[in-house]
């Protein structure tokens, strides 16, 4: 989500970085996060924290936030 929002990477570029995933897989993930942050304030706040940590170059804080985000998304209702 953040690669697309902050860096304006193409779906193909993001797919390549994330283990040669198909662009449709990346699109699905992007759309899922985009929809979820509109209804989940906890996730919205966390995405903003991850963006801030990535811009500040704090890898330890960033990895902890990413792990936390994964748990929130896993616990969310499936949107599709």
């Amino acid at each position: 989500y953040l690669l697309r929002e902050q860096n304006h990477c193409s779906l193909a570029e993001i797919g390549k970085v994330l283990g040669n995933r198909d662009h449709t897989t990346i699109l699905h993930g992007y759309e899922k996060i985009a929809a979820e942050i509109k209804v989940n304030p906890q996730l919205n706040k966390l995405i903003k924290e991850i963006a801030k940590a990535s811009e500040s170059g704090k890898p330890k804080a960033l990895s902890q936030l990413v792990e936390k985000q994964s748990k929130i998304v896993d616990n969310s209702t499936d949107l599709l």
Side-chain angles (χ1 to χ4, degrees):
Y1 176 82
L2 287 175
L3 285 171
R4 185 96 167 133
E5 287 293 309
Q6 289 186 316
N7 300 1
H8 309 288
C9 294
S10 72
L11 298 173
E13 289 172 323
I14 297 168
K16 189 172 185 179
V17 169
L18 297 178
N20 290 320
R21 309 243 183 213
D22 186 78
H23 74 281
T24 58
T25 302
I26 302 306
L27 180 60
H28 171 76
Y30 174 83
E31 290 175 342
K32 184 172 182 175
I33 296 297
E36 185 68 18
I37 63 173
K38 291 178 183 176
V39 297
N40 184 335
Q42 183 182 12
L43 180 61
N44 189 2
K45 179 182 176 199
L46 188 56
I47 293 290
K48 290 177 182 176
E49 290 173 1
I50 292 170
K52 187 177 178 181
S54 73
E55 290 170 358
S56 69
K58 296 180 181 174
K60 185 174 181 182
L62 180 59
S63 65
Q64 291 170 340
L65 289 168
V66 170
E67 184 177 321
K68 186 176 177 183
Q69 180 266 337
S70 295
K71 290 177 184 174
I72 290 172
V73 171
D74 288 344
N75 292 331
S76 296
T77 351
D78 190 13
L79 299 174
L80 301 176

